Amino acid sequence: MTAETTGEWRGWRAAAEAALYGPDGFYRRPEGPAGHFRTSVHTSPLFAGAVARLLCRVDEALGRPGSLDFVDMAAGRGELVTGVLAVLPAEVAARTRAYAVELADRPGTLDHRIEWLPGPPRGITGLLFANEWLDNVPLEVAEVDAAGVWRLVLVRRDGTERLGEPVAGAEAEWLARWWPAASASEGTRAEIGLPRDEAWAGAVAALDRGLAVAVDYAHTAAARPPFGTLTGFREGRGTVPVPDGSCDITAHVALDACALPGARLLSQREALAALGVTGARPPLALASTRPAEYVRALATAGEAAELTATGGLGDFGWLMQPVGIPDVLAN
């Protein structure tokens, strides 16, 4: 019998891996992620439009190669890559090879131009875009015990937790470098982001030339949350994280730890503004001269405002990692 069926204690990394990506895992369910939560992709087509413009900037920086790659990491049901292809200029679209990277089965209605893969292809020349991927890369959770020692948190399938062995080795080194606790009092928690650093480095290594972008809930060493961020989502609502396959299990990303040399961190608000997405309202005079146009522009401004909102999606972190090209969002 396995740990899943006997209710044995496991670290959060193994428990979440099985609950999210196992044979009956959350991300293999037929309704897909969109059945449980909205990302920027689902909020507005403005997001796909901005990513398409980013791909065009990468294309220019690459010198308009004969074949341009666009890789959508953690593609869900292919919503982002589909939206990007739909709005690319025809000349760019004709040269674009589109990939959706996802462990779930390929949707039957997906555009035939999109290749469906379980991992990124190698030798990418273009843009690899990972929207809310790293927050679902499972990791270990640690907690400070009564003696001030960091210990791994163990969990059973029903979500019950207890403390395990002291954190050691590379995981302890990661904590010391990237999650310095001002006061390691009993109950302080941390999420050990080493698997995410490794996953991101592996994704970036797939590029020969171009840009890799990770977009996610994020925090930096200057403001790590003292009790961590591990949580669950089910049917649009936050819930207790239970590793039984019934809910999403996610934790914010230490994007500063993931960053490789030459990377830049900025907020989604800053990145989308650089790509032409703002929440500016249309001029009121338009309401009387061209009312239908005004209503459409007002709706677009509302969607843009949601994508860039302080305290919401606008606070997401964008990790920009150029490979062999200049920073395409530089002023």
Side-chain angles (χ1 to χ4, degrees):
M1 296 182 72
T2 67
E4 292 180 64
T5 58
T6 61
E8 293 178 6
W9 297 100
R10 296 187 291 175
W12 265 108
R13 183 180 183 184
E17 183 73 35
L20 295 178
Y21 307 114
D24 299 315
F26 178 83
Y27 276 95
R28 296 186 185 272
R29 292 165 63 134
E31 71 271 20
H36 295 271
F37 52 85
R38 273 198 331 160
T39 69
S40 296
V41 178
H42 309 116
T43 296
S44 170
L46 292 174
F47 190 80
V51 176
R53 288 191 291 277
L54 180 61
L55 178 59
C56 289
R57 292 195 187 188
V58 171
D59 183 42
E60 290 285 346
L62 289 168
R64 299 190 178 189
S67 182
L68 177 69
D69 297 319
F70 176 63
V71 182
D72 180 9
M73 293 290 296
R77 296 300 179 265
E79 297 94 338
L80 177 60
V81 63
T82 299
V84 168
L85 285 178
V87 297
L88 279 176
E91 187 278 327
V92 179
R95 292 184 287 109
T96 298
R97 296 185 301 183
Y99 302 91
V101 178
E102 183 58 72
L103 294 179
D105 294 336
R106 178 190 180 99
T109 58
L110 192 70
D111 190 315
H112 68 89
R113 294 174 294 172
I114 301 168
E115 188 170 349
W116 193 264
L117 299 172
R122 312 305 293 180
I124 296 166
T125 299
L127 173 63
L128 180 146
F129 199 88
N131 186 60
E132 295 194 44
W133 168 49
L134 290 174
D135 68 297
N136 286 127
V137 173
L139 40 56
E140 298 291 5
V141 178
E143 183 174 318
V144 176
D145 67 11
V149 176
W150 284 105
R151 293 183 176 272
L152 292 176
V153 176
L154 306 182
V155 64
R156 292 195 302 203
R157 184 177 168 84
D158 65 1
T160 306
E161 293 181 335
R162 71 172 175 85
L163 297 187
E165 295 298 312
V167 179
E171 292 174 336
E173 293 173 6
W174 190 95
L175 271 182
R177 179 179 181 184
W178 292 110
W179 203 297
S183 59
S185 57
E186 183 178 5
T188 299
R189 287 174 72 121
E191 290 121 14
I192 304 174
L194 185 60
R196 294 166 174 188
D197 299 358
E198 294 169 346
W200 182 243
V204 173
L207 271 80
D208 279 352
R209 291 180 67 220
L211 176 67
V213 181
V215 180
D216 237 311
Y217 302 95
H219 46 61
T220 61
R224 301 286 190 223
F227 301 106
T229 60
L230 188 74
T231 191
F233 282 96
R234 183 189 296 113
E235 298 176 355
R237 298 181 179 180
T239 185
V240 175
V242 178
D244 62 359
S246 69
C247 66
D248 187 23
I249 297 172
T250 178
H252 294 196
V253 183
L255 280 179
D256 51 343
C258 296
L260 299 170
R264 181 158 71 108
L265 285 171
L266 63 164
S267 70
Q268 175 155 299
R269 185 166 43 257
E270 294 168 322
L272 290 184
L275 293 167
V277 178
T278 69
R281 295 169 63 91
L284 189 57
L286 193 64
S288 56
T289 57
R290 297 194 294 276
E293 183 178 337
Y294 175 78
V295 170
R296 289 193 298 271
L298 195 62
T300 297
E303 293 173 2
E306 185 175 359
L307 287 171
T308 59
T310 301
L313 294 174
D315 291 344
F316 269 43
W318 280 47
L319 171 56
M320 309 280 292
Q321 188 77 57
V323 177
I325 64 170
D327 184 345
V328 296
L329 290 190
N331 294 328

